[in-house]
Amino acid sequence: MVNINTVAVIGSGTMGAGIAEVAASHGHQVLIHDISADAVSRAIDGIRQRLASRVSRGKLSAEASAQILARLVPVTDIDALAAADLVIEAASERLEVKKALFARLAEICPPQTLLTSNTSSISVTAIAADIRHPERVAGLHFFNPAPVMKLVEVVSGLATSSEVANVLCELAMNWGKQPVRCQSTPGFIVNRVARPFYSEAWRALEEQVAAPEIIDAALREGGGFPMGPLELTDMIGQDVNFAVTCSVFNAFWQERRFLPSLVQQELVLAGRLGKKSGKGVYDWLGEKTTARWVDAVNDSFSPIGVHRRGDGVTQIDEVLLIETQGETAQSLAVKHSCPVVVIDRLERDVAVIAAASGNPHAATQKAVRHLQQQGYRVLHIADYPGLLIWRTVAMIANEALDALQKGVASEKDIDTAMRLGVNYPSGPIAWGERLGWQRLLTLLENLQRHYGEERYRPCSLLRQRALLESSHES
């Protein structure tokens, strides 16, 4: 295989400039191509400013900065890319544009030149379909900002040779990145497995379960995610996040679990794109809205008798506090003929609760008082099956197992991708193992029964793992 000395980057936007900076920082001459010479100049100026900042903070020497900048070569004539050993395309996310561009690259570059795309969701197989030597075409998907984020998805299309994928993985490691290998399927690993994180939050907002800041606080403080899903979409850009969801939804032939949100579509249509436009889910120009936690309940509601059962149920005087398994508090209250409060919590100090509509106020307050005495901060939401944290984690883990079963990537690479690509507190498969496959299965089955939708269908591998788990416990 070819030694990679010269790297060409097509596209001088945020991702293209970031990738060029990474390659130049690791000793490669980098040809930066764009149809606009001004765009290339702006990209190099941006790199110069970032390097200067690192120099001022003592993170980089002035000499090293000058050497990196000297390796950046602006190119407006695409024919000059024939000198590259590796081409990384970071241009428009439109298949027809990429196909035309790669066809041109295949004509001007020698057969040993590796041709890669930084696409986040477009099929690598489709990009390579009509060009000569499609075995050298692969996806090389960096995450933004490329100089900082460690993850790189190395994506193989149907024709991509294993040798090419190996070379790209080795190169990524030499650049200080963590590569994960995956097959070319919609969304690859990260943009596929992450969809439920957003979609379940949008559904909760659509069903008026809680205010946006409550939903975000539950997932951030209670689930351990670095940001809540709604505030994250505001940071990404509602138009960008919505477009990826639509792309994945359509690529999976309108699979219901990837269904886009009408609420998010309304924001996009209104131009409320998030932080970049000043308004999205939140008003970024006004005072920040924060979650309202349940106030401390006074001693008059202190329970007299507390009895813990082994099935996730705690009896507090006349009220049952039940850990969520996907049923509403009201349905459980009818089943048990007593007041019920459902609780949603992981291994943190946050508890999300929902109370049956028929509960006496005193019964619900006793449950809240008990949780506060145990050191929990409490968020109270409408009665909603699966609540927020467990429901979201169950859907993410289910999607990860579906990707594993269908050969998208290995278990290790899926978990690595989600930890490094979107900073999840745990890989979803390791998380599911720890939380218990049987409970996740039960929760999804209850959600499917409640909604009557395929969206919550447990995948076959989840059922298999739950069965194995049960057989080991018996």
PDB file of all heavy atoms in Angstrom, residues 272-307:
ATOM      1  N   ARG A 272     -35.996  29.451  13.559  1.00  0.00           N
ATOM      2  CA  ARG A 272     -35.488  29.374  14.935  1.00  0.00           C
ATOM      3  C   ARG A 272     -34.511  28.195  15.008  1.00  0.00           C
ATOM      4  O   ARG A 272     -34.860  27.091  15.407  1.00  0.00           O
ATOM      5  CB  ARG A 272     -36.640  29.207  15.926  1.00  0.00           C
ATOM      6  CG  ARG A 272     -37.524  30.445  16.005  1.00  0.00           C
ATOM      7  CD  ARG A 272     -38.657  30.303  17.004  1.00  0.00           C
ATOM      8  NE  ARG A 272     -38.218  29.893  18.334  1.00  0.00           N
ATOM      9  CZ  ARG A 272     -38.998  29.908  19.413  1.00  0.00           C
ATOM     10  NH1 ARG A 272     -40.253  30.331  19.305  1.00  0.00           N
ATOM     11  NH2 ARG A 272     -38.543  29.501  20.585  1.00  0.00           N
ATOM     12  N   LEU A 273     -33.296  28.454  14.588  1.00  0.00           N
ATOM     13  CA  LEU A 273     -32.316  27.396  14.359  1.00  0.00           C
ATOM     14  C   LEU A 273     -31.429  27.117  15.560  1.00  0.00           C
ATOM     15  O   LEU A 273     -30.532  26.289  15.480  1.00  0.00           O
ATOM     16  CB  LEU A 273     -31.457  27.755  13.136  1.00  0.00           C
ATOM     17  CG  LEU A 273     -32.237  28.094  11.857  1.00  0.00           C
ATOM     18  CD1 LEU A 273     -31.279  28.392  10.722  1.00  0.00           C
ATOM     19  CD2 LEU A 273     -33.194  26.965  11.489  1.00  0.00           C
ATOM     20  N   GLY A 274     -31.682  27.805  16.663  1.00  0.00           N
ATOM     21  CA  GLY A 274     -30.880  27.560  17.845  1.00  0.00           C
ATOM     22  C   GLY A 274     -29.969  28.716  18.163  1.00  0.00           C
ATOM     23  O   GLY A 274     -30.265  29.877  17.857  1.00  0.00           O
ATOM     24  N   LYS A 275     -28.836  28.419  18.755  1.00  0.00           N
ATOM     25  CA  LYS A 275     -27.931  29.463  19.233  1.00  0.00           C
ATOM     26  C   LYS A 275     -27.475  30.377  18.098  1.00  0.00           C
ATOM     27  O   LYS A 275     -27.342  31.590  18.282  1.00  0.00           O
ATOM     28  CB  LYS A 275     -26.722  28.824  19.925  1.00  0.00           C
ATOM     29  CG  LYS A 275     -25.849  29.826  20.661  1.00  0.00           C
ATOM     30  CD  LYS A 275     -24.780  29.151  21.491  1.00  0.00           C
ATOM     31  CE  LYS A 275     -23.992  30.184  22.278  1.00  0.00           C
ATOM     32  NZ  LYS A 275     -22.921  29.534  23.096  1.00  0.00           N
ATOM     33  N   LYS A 276     -27.244  29.814  16.919  1.00  0.00           N
ATOM     34  CA  LYS A 276     -26.713  30.628  15.817  1.00  0.00           C
ATOM     35  C   LYS A 276     -27.701  31.674  15.321  1.00  0.00           C
ATOM     36  O   LYS A 276     -27.304  32.675  14.719  1.00  0.00           O
ATOM     37  CB  LYS A 276     -26.253  29.736  14.665  1.00  0.00           C
ATOM     38  CG  LYS A 276     -27.353  28.933  13.984  1.00  0.00           C
ATOM     39  CD  LYS A 276     -26.747  27.983  12.948  1.00  0.00           C
ATOM     40  CE  LYS A 276     -27.794  27.098  12.289  1.00  0.00           C
ATOM     41  NZ  LYS A 276     -27.178  26.123  11.364  1.00  0.00           N
ATOM     42  N   SER A 277     -28.999  31.464  15.549  1.00  0.00           N
ATOM     43  CA  SER A 277     -30.002  32.448  15.128  1.00  0.00           C
ATOM     44  C   SER A 277     -30.555  33.231  16.314  1.00  0.00           C
ATOM     45  O   SER A 277     -31.377  34.136  16.127  1.00  0.00           O
ATOM     46  CB  SER A 277     -31.153  31.763  14.383  1.00  0.00           C
ATOM     47  OG  SER A 277     -31.929  30.978  15.263  1.00  0.00           O
ATOM     48  N   GLY A 278     -30.125  32.879  17.513  1.00  0.00           N
ATOM     49  CA  GLY A 278     -30.586  33.573  18.711  1.00  0.00           C
ATOM     50  C   GLY A 278     -31.753  32.899  19.406  1.00  0.00           C
ATOM     51  O   GLY A 278     -31.955  33.067  20.604  1.00  0.00           O
ATOM     52  N   LYS A 279     -32.536  32.114  18.659  1.00  0.00           N
ATOM     53  CA  LYS A 279     -33.670  31.396  19.244  1.00  0.00           C
ATOM     54  C   LYS A 279     -33.796  30.026  18.618  1.00  0.00           C
ATOM     55  O   LYS A 279     -33.554  29.846  17.425  1.00  0.00           O
ATOM     56  CB  LYS A 279     -34.983  32.162  19.028  1.00  0.00           C
ATOM     57  CG  LYS A 279     -35.181  33.344  19.946  1.00  0.00           C
ATOM     58  CD  LYS A 279     -36.584  33.924  19.796  1.00  0.00           C
ATOM     59  CE  LYS A 279     -36.826  35.053  20.779  1.00  0.00           C
ATOM     60  NZ  LYS A 279     -38.201  35.606  20.669  1.00  0.00           N
ATOM     61  N   GLY A 280     -34.177  29.075  19.426  1.00  0.00           N
ATOM     62  CA  GLY A 280     -34.477  27.728  18.972  1.00  0.00           C
ATOM     63  C   GLY A 280     -35.504  27.168  19.936  1.00  0.00           C
ATOM     64  O   GLY A 280     -36.585  27.746  20.122  1.00  0.00           O
ATOM     65  N   VAL A 281     -35.190  26.069  20.575  1.00  0.00           N
ATOM     66  CA  VAL A 281     -36.015  25.617  21.696  1.00  0.00           C
ATOM     67  C   VAL A 281     -35.952  26.671  22.795  1.00  0.00           C
ATOM     68  O   VAL A 281     -36.940  26.985  23.453  1.00  0.00           O
ATOM     69  CB  VAL A 281     -35.515  24.251  22.217  1.00  0.00           C
ATOM     70  CG1 VAL A 281     -36.288  23.842  23.471  1.00  0.00           C
ATOM     71  CG2 VAL A 281     -35.643  23.176  21.145  1.00  0.00           C
ATOM     72  N   TYR A 282     -34.760  27.243  22.977  1.00  0.00           N
ATOM     73  CA  TYR A 282     -34.522  28.253  23.999  1.00  0.00           C
ATOM     74  C   TYR A 282     -34.277  29.615  23.360  1.00  0.00           C
ATOM     75  O   TYR A 282     -33.885  29.712  22.194  1.00  0.00           O
ATOM     76  CB  TYR A 282     -33.305  27.869  24.848  1.00  0.00           C
ATOM     77  CG  TYR A 282     -33.479  26.581  25.611  1.00  0.00           C
ATOM     78  CD1 TYR A 282     -32.918  25.386  25.151  1.00  0.00           C
ATOM     79  CD2 TYR A 282     -34.204  26.544  26.800  1.00  0.00           C
ATOM     80  CE1 TYR A 282     -33.072  24.205  25.854  1.00  0.00           C
ATOM     81  CE2 TYR A 282     -34.367  25.360  27.506  1.00  0.00           C
ATOM     82  CZ  TYR A 282     -33.803  24.193  27.030  1.00  0.00           C
ATOM     83  OH  TYR A 282     -33.961  23.028  27.726  1.00  0.00           O
ATOM     84  N   ASP A 283     -34.470  30.656  24.149  1.00  0.00           N
ATOM     85  CA  ASP A 283     -34.116  32.009  23.754  1.00  0.00           C
ATOM     86  C   ASP A 283     -32.693  32.268  24.223  1.00  0.00           C
ATOM     87  O   ASP A 283     -32.446  32.472  25.415  1.00  0.00           O
ATOM     88  CB  ASP A 283     -35.091  33.011  24.384  1.00  0.00           C
ATOM     89  CG  ASP A 283     -34.798  34.448  23.971  1.00  0.00           C
ATOM     90  OD1 ASP A 283     -33.779  34.678  23.273  1.00  0.00           O
ATOM     91  OD2 ASP A 283     -35.558  35.344  24.367  1.00  0.00           O
ATOM     92  N   TRP A 284     -31.746  32.263  23.293  1.00  0.00           N
ATOM     93  CA  TRP A 284     -30.333  32.413  23.635  1.00  0.00           C
ATOM     94  C   TRP A 284     -29.942  33.867  23.828  1.00  0.00           C
ATOM     95  O   TRP A 284     -28.813  34.158  24.261  1.00  0.00           O
ATOM     96  CB  TRP A 284     -29.465  31.765  22.556  1.00  0.00           C
ATOM     97  CG  TRP A 284     -29.602  30.275  22.561  1.00  0.00           C
ATOM     98  CD1 TRP A 284     -30.537  29.542  21.887  1.00  0.00           C
ATOM     99  CD2 TRP A 284     -28.832  29.340  23.299  1.00  0.00           C
ATOM    100  NE1 TRP A 284     -30.393  28.197  22.159  1.00  0.00           N
ATOM    101  CE2 TRP A 284     -29.340  28.045  23.021  1.00  0.00           C
ATOM    102  CE3 TRP A 284     -27.743  29.461  24.172  1.00  0.00           C
ATOM    103  CZ2 TRP A 284     -28.810  26.890  23.586  1.00  0.00           C
ATOM    104  CZ3 TRP A 284     -27.211  28.307  24.737  1.00  0.00           C
ATOM    105  CH2 TRP A 284     -27.748  27.044  24.441  1.00  0.00           C
ATOM    106  N   LEU A 285     -30.846  34.784  23.530  1.00  0.00           N
ATOM    107  CA  LEU A 285     -30.552  36.204  23.713  1.00  0.00           C
ATOM    108  C   LEU A 285     -31.077  36.715  25.049  1.00  0.00           C
ATOM    109  O   LEU A 285     -30.665  37.777  25.523  1.00  0.00           O
ATOM    110  CB  LEU A 285     -31.184  37.017  22.570  1.00  0.00           C
ATOM    111  CG  LEU A 285     -30.745  36.626  21.150  1.00  0.00           C
ATOM    112  CD1 LEU A 285     -31.510  37.428  20.108  1.00  0.00           C
ATOM    113  CD2 LEU A 285     -29.237  36.816  20.990  1.00  0.00           C
ATOM    114  N   GLY A 286     -31.985  35.967  25.651  1.00  0.00           N
ATOM    115  CA  GLY A 286     -32.574  36.382  26.918  1.00  0.00           C
ATOM    116  C   GLY A 286     -31.943  35.650  28.095  1.00  0.00           C
ATOM    117  O   GLY A 286     -30.873  35.038  27.991  1.00  0.00           O
ATOM    118  N   GLU A 287     -32.617  35.682  29.213  1.00  0.00           N
ATOM    119  CA  GLU A 287     -32.125  35.022  30.424  1.00  0.00           C
ATOM    120  C   GLU A 287     -32.298  33.520  30.291  1.00  0.00           C
ATOM    121  O   GLU A 287     -33.340  33.041  29.834  1.00  0.00           O
ATOM    122  CB  GLU A 287     -32.902  35.544  31.638  1.00  0.00           C
ATOM    123  CG  GLU A 287     -32.362  35.048  32.970  1.00  0.00           C
ATOM    124  CD  GLU A 287     -33.082  35.680  34.157  1.00  0.00           C
ATOM    125  OE1 GLU A 287     -33.757  36.712  33.958  1.00  0.00           O
ATOM    126  OE2 GLU A 287     -32.975  35.128  35.260  1.00  0.00           O
ATOM    127  N   LYS A 288     -31.270  32.764  30.688  1.00  0.00           N
ATOM    128  CA  LYS A 288     -31.299  31.314  30.540  1.00  0.00           C
ATOM    129  C   LYS A 288     -32.383  30.715  31.434  1.00  0.00           C
ATOM    130  O   LYS A 288     -32.493  31.051  32.609  1.00  0.00           O
ATOM    131  CB  LYS A 288     -29.935  30.718  30.886  1.00  0.00           C
ATOM    132  CG  LYS A 288     -29.866  29.208  30.696  1.00  0.00           C
ATOM    133  CD  LYS A 288     -28.454  28.689  30.876  1.00  0.00           C
ATOM    134  CE  LYS A 288     -28.373  27.176  30.836  1.00  0.00           C
ATOM    135  NZ  LYS A 288     -28.898  26.596  29.603  1.00  0.00           N
ATOM    136  N   THR A 289     -33.181  29.825  30.853  1.00  0.00           N
ATOM    137  CA  THR A 289     -34.226  29.129  31.606  1.00  0.00           C
ATOM    138  C   THR A 289     -33.640  27.893  32.260  1.00  0.00           C
ATOM    139  O   THR A 289     -32.972  27.093  31.607  1.00  0.00           O
ATOM    140  CB  THR A 289     -35.376  28.708  30.669  1.00  0.00           C
ATOM    141  OG1 THR A 289     -35.830  29.841  29.941  1.00  0.00           O
ATOM    142  CG2 THR A 289     -36.532  28.122  31.455  1.00  0.00           C
ATOM    143  N   THR A 290     -33.867  27.740  33.552  1.00  0.00           N
ATOM    144  CA  THR A 290     -33.332  26.582  34.275  1.00  0.00           C
ATOM    145  C   THR A 290     -34.471  25.727  34.807  1.00  0.00           C
ATOM    146  O   THR A 290     -35.603  26.200  35.009  1.00  0.00           O
ATOM    147  CB  THR A 290     -32.441  27.029  35.447  1.00  0.00           C
ATOM    148  OG1 THR A 290     -33.187  27.898  36.319  1.00  0.00           O
ATOM    149  CG2 THR A 290     -31.216  27.780  34.935  1.00  0.00           C
ATOM    150  N   ALA A 291     -34.158  24.476  35.051  1.00  0.00           N
ATOM    151  CA  ALA A 291     -35.170  23.526  35.522  1.00  0.00           C
ATOM    152  C   ALA A 291     -35.601  23.858  36.941  1.00  0.00           C
ATOM    153  O   ALA A 291     -34.777  24.237  37.778  1.00  0.00           O
ATOM    154  CB  ALA A 291     -34.614  22.108  35.460  1.00  0.00           C
ATOM    155  N   ARG A 292     -36.876  23.702  37.191  1.00  0.00           N
ATOM    156  CA  ARG A 292     -37.396  23.885  38.546  1.00  0.00           C
ATOM    157  C   ARG A 292     -37.480  22.519  39.235  1.00  0.00           C
ATOM    158  O   ARG A 292     -38.249  21.643  38.834  1.00  0.00           O
ATOM    159  CB  ARG A 292     -38.775  24.547  38.517  1.00  0.00           C
ATOM    160  CG  ARG A 292     -39.375  24.730  39.911  1.00  0.00           C
ATOM    161  CD  ARG A 292     -40.690  25.503  39.867  1.00  0.00           C
ATOM    162  NE  ARG A 292     -41.315  25.542  41.168  1.00  0.00           N
ATOM    163  CZ  ARG A 292     -40.977  26.381  42.145  1.00  0.00           C
ATOM    164  NH1 ARG A 292     -40.006  27.246  41.949  1.00  0.00           N
ATOM    165  NH2 ARG A 292     -41.622  26.360  43.303  1.00  0.00           N
ATOM    166  N   TRP A 293     -36.678  22.353  40.257  1.00  0.00           N
ATOM    167  CA  TRP A 293     -36.689  21.121  41.036  1.00  0.00           C
ATOM    168  C   TRP A 293     -37.809  21.191  42.058  1.00  0.00           C
ATOM    169  O   TRP A 293     -38.216  22.280  42.492  1.00  0.00           O
ATOM    170  CB  TRP A 293     -35.349  20.914  41.729  1.00  0.00           C
ATOM    171  CG  TRP A 293     -34.199  20.841  40.760  1.00  0.00           C
ATOM    172  CD1 TRP A 293     -33.538  21.890  40.198  1.00  0.00           C
ATOM    173  CD2 TRP A 293     -33.630  19.661  40.204  1.00  0.00           C
ATOM    174  NE1 TRP A 293     -32.570  21.440  39.324  1.00  0.00           N
ATOM    175  CE2 TRP A 293     -32.602  20.073  39.314  1.00  0.00           C
ATOM    176  CE3 TRP A 293     -33.864  18.302  40.367  1.00  0.00           C
ATOM    177  CZ2 TRP A 293     -31.828  19.173  38.592  1.00  0.00           C
ATOM    178  CZ3 TRP A 293     -33.092  17.403  39.660  1.00  0.00           C
ATOM    179  CH2 TRP A 293     -32.089  17.832  38.786  1.00  0.00           C
ATOM    180  N   VAL A 294     -38.310  20.043  42.473  1.00  0.00           N
ATOM    181  CA  VAL A 294     -39.381  20.009  43.469  1.00  0.00           C
ATOM    182  C   VAL A 294     -38.854  20.576  44.779  1.00  0.00           C
ATOM    183  O   VAL A 294     -37.775  20.194  45.256  1.00  0.00           O
ATOM    184  CB  VAL A 294     -39.887  18.569  43.668  1.00  0.00           C
ATOM    185  CG1 VAL A 294     -40.916  18.512  44.792  1.00  0.00           C
ATOM    186  CG2 VAL A 294     -40.493  18.032  42.369  1.00  0.00           C
ATOM    187  N   ASP A 295     -39.598  21.509  45.344  1.00  0.00           N
ATOM    188  CA  ASP A 295     -39.190  22.119  46.616  1.00  0.00           C
ATOM    189  C   ASP A 295     -39.151  21.062  47.719  1.00  0.00           C
ATOM    190  O   ASP A 295     -39.844  20.029  47.651  1.00  0.00           O
ATOM    191  CB  ASP A 295     -40.169  23.219  47.017  1.00  0.00           C
ATOM    192  CG  ASP A 295     -40.116  24.418  46.072  1.00  0.00           C
ATOM    193  OD1 ASP A 295     -39.046  24.647  45.465  1.00  0.00           O
ATOM    194  OD2 ASP A 295     -41.149  25.105  45.933  1.00  0.00           O
ATOM    195  N   ALA A 296     -38.362  21.344  48.727  1.00  0.00           N
ATOM    196  CA  ALA A 296     -38.262  20.427  49.867  1.00  0.00           C
ATOM    197  C   ALA A 296     -39.639  20.272  50.518  1.00  0.00           C
ATOM    198  O   ALA A 296     -40.338  21.261  50.779  1.00  0.00           O
ATOM    199  CB  ALA A 296     -37.256  20.952  50.870  1.00  0.00           C
ATOM    200  N   VAL A 297     -40.038  19.038  50.743  1.00  0.00           N
ATOM    201  CA  VAL A 297     -41.326  18.743  51.375  1.00  0.00           C
ATOM    202  C   VAL A 297     -41.139  18.753  52.887  1.00  0.00           C
ATOM    203  O   VAL A 297     -40.167  18.196  53.412  1.00  0.00           O
ATOM    204  CB  VAL A 297     -41.861  17.377  50.895  1.00  0.00           C
ATOM    205  CG1 VAL A 297     -43.141  17.014  51.624  1.00  0.00           C
ATOM    206  CG2 VAL A 297     -42.088  17.414  49.386  1.00  0.00           C
ATOM    207  N   ASN A 298     -42.065  19.380  53.601  1.00  0.00           N
ATOM    208  CA  ASN A 298     -41.877  19.544  55.052  1.00  0.00           C
ATOM    209  C   ASN A 298     -42.129  18.253  55.822  1.00  0.00           C
ATOM    210  O   ASN A 298     -42.638  17.261  55.289  1.00  0.00           O
ATOM    211  CB  ASN A 298     -42.752  20.682  55.584  1.00  0.00           C
ATOM    212  CG  ASN A 298     -44.234  20.409  55.386  1.00  0.00           C
ATOM    213  OD1 ASN A 298     -44.730  19.325  55.688  1.00  0.00           O
ATOM    214  ND2 ASN A 298     -44.965  21.401  54.871  1.00  0.00           N
ATOM    215  N   ASP A 299     -41.763  18.267  57.077  1.00  0.00           N
ATOM    216  CA  ASP A 299     -41.768  17.066  57.913  1.00  0.00           C
ATOM    217  C   ASP A 299     -43.152  16.476  58.121  1.00  0.00           C
ATOM    218  O   ASP A 299     -43.270  15.300  58.487  1.00  0.00           O
ATOM    219  CB  ASP A 299     -41.151  17.376  59.282  1.00  0.00           C
ATOM    220  CG  ASP A 299     -39.639  17.560  59.193  1.00  0.00           C
ATOM    221  OD1 ASP A 299     -39.048  17.059  58.213  1.00  0.00           O
ATOM    222  OD2 ASP A 299     -39.054  18.208  60.083  1.00  0.00           O
ATOM    223  N   SER A 300     -44.195  17.265  57.892  1.00  0.00           N
ATOM    224  CA  SER A 300     -45.546  16.735  58.128  1.00  0.00           C
ATOM    225  C   SER A 300     -45.876  15.589  57.187  1.00  0.00           C
ATOM    226  O   SER A 300     -46.813  14.830  57.427  1.00  0.00           O
ATOM    227  CB  SER A 300     -46.583  17.858  57.981  1.00  0.00           C
ATOM    228  OG  SER A 300     -46.604  18.339  56.640  1.00  0.00           O
ATOM    229  N   PHE A 301     -45.097  15.455  56.106  1.00  0.00           N
ATOM    230  CA  PHE A 301     -45.324  14.356  55.162  1.00  0.00           C
ATOM    231  C   PHE A 301     -44.315  13.216  55.336  1.00  0.00           C
ATOM    232  O   PHE A 301     -44.220  12.354  54.477  1.00  0.00           O
ATOM    233  CB  PHE A 301     -45.264  14.884  53.723  1.00  0.00           C
ATOM    234  CG  PHE A 301     -46.394  15.802  53.362  1.00  0.00           C
ATOM    235  CD1 PHE A 301     -46.197  17.170  53.341  1.00  0.00           C
ATOM    236  CD2 PHE A 301     -47.648  15.308  53.083  1.00  0.00           C
ATOM    237  CE1 PHE A 301     -47.232  18.027  53.019  1.00  0.00           C
ATOM    238  CE2 PHE A 301     -48.693  16.160  52.756  1.00  0.00           C
ATOM    239  CZ  PHE A 301     -48.495  17.530  52.723  1.00  0.00           C
ATOM    240  N   SER A 302     -43.549  13.244  56.400  1.00  0.00           N
ATOM    241  CA  SER A 302     -42.595  12.158  56.621  1.00  0.00           C
ATOM    242  C   SER A 302     -43.342  10.844  56.777  1.00  0.00           C
ATOM    243  O   SER A 302     -44.288  10.745  57.573  1.00  0.00           O
ATOM    244  CB  SER A 302     -41.760  12.419  57.872  1.00  0.00           C
ATOM    245  OG  SER A 302     -40.845  13.463  57.640  1.00  0.00           O
ATOM    246  N   PRO A 303     -42.947   9.814  56.038  1.00  0.00           N
ATOM    247  CA  PRO A 303     -43.656   8.529  56.113  1.00  0.00           C
ATOM    248  C   PRO A 303     -43.442   7.840  57.464  1.00  0.00           C
ATOM    249  O   PRO A 303     -42.411   8.017  58.117  1.00  0.00           O
ATOM    250  CB  PRO A 303     -43.031   7.724  54.976  1.00  0.00           C
ATOM    251  CG  PRO A 303     -41.687   8.354  54.738  1.00  0.00           C
ATOM    252  CD  PRO A 303     -41.849   9.794  55.051  1.00  0.00           C
ATOM    253  N   ILE A 304     -44.446   7.070  57.839  1.00  0.00           N
ATOM    254  CA  ILE A 304     -44.358   6.304  59.099  1.00  0.00           C
ATOM    255  C   ILE A 304     -43.728   4.947  58.839  1.00  0.00           C
ATOM    256  O   ILE A 304     -42.842   4.503  59.566  1.00  0.00           O
ATOM    257  CB  ILE A 304     -45.770   6.134  59.719  1.00  0.00           C
ATOM    258  CG1 ILE A 304     -46.348   7.516  60.052  1.00  0.00           C
ATOM    259  CG2 ILE A 304     -45.707   5.243  60.962  1.00  0.00           C
ATOM    260  CD1 ILE A 304     -47.811   7.480  60.439  1.00  0.00           C
ATOM    261  N   GLY A 305     -44.171   4.285  57.793  1.00  0.00           N
ATOM    262  CA  GLY A 305     -43.655   2.952  57.492  1.00  0.00           C
ATOM    263  C   GLY A 305     -43.105   2.865  56.086  1.00  0.00           C
ATOM    264  O   GLY A 305     -43.764   3.289  55.134  1.00  0.00           O
ATOM    265  N   VAL A 306     -41.887   2.338  55.936  1.00  0.00           N
ATOM    266  CA  VAL A 306     -41.257   2.148  54.632  1.00  0.00           C
ATOM    267  C   VAL A 306     -40.837   0.691  54.519  1.00  0.00           C
ATOM    268  O   VAL A 306     -40.094   0.178  55.359  1.00  0.00           O
ATOM    269  CB  VAL A 306     -40.022   3.063  54.451  1.00  0.00           C
ATOM    270  CG1 VAL A 306     -39.347   2.785  53.121  1.00  0.00           C
ATOM    271  CG2 VAL A 306     -40.423   4.530  54.561  1.00  0.00           C
ATOM    272  N   HIS A 307     -41.354   0.037  53.478  1.00  0.00           N
ATOM    273  CA  HIS A 307     -41.042  -1.379  53.262  1.00  0.00           C
ATOM    274  C   HIS A 307     -40.535  -1.568  51.842  1.00  0.00           C
ATOM    275  O   HIS A 307     -41.249  -1.305  50.878  1.00  0.00           O
ATOM    276  CB  HIS A 307     -42.281  -2.241  53.488  1.00  0.00           C
ATOM    277  CG  HIS A 307     -42.079  -3.682  53.117  1.00  0.00           C
ATOM    278  ND1 HIS A 307     -41.152  -4.494  53.744  1.00  0.00           N
ATOM    279  CD2 HIS A 307     -42.683  -4.452  52.161  1.00  0.00           C
ATOM    280  CE1 HIS A 307     -41.193  -5.702  53.190  1.00  0.00           C
ATOM    281  NE2 HIS A 307     -42.110  -5.700  52.233  1.00  0.00           N
TER     282      HIS A 307
END
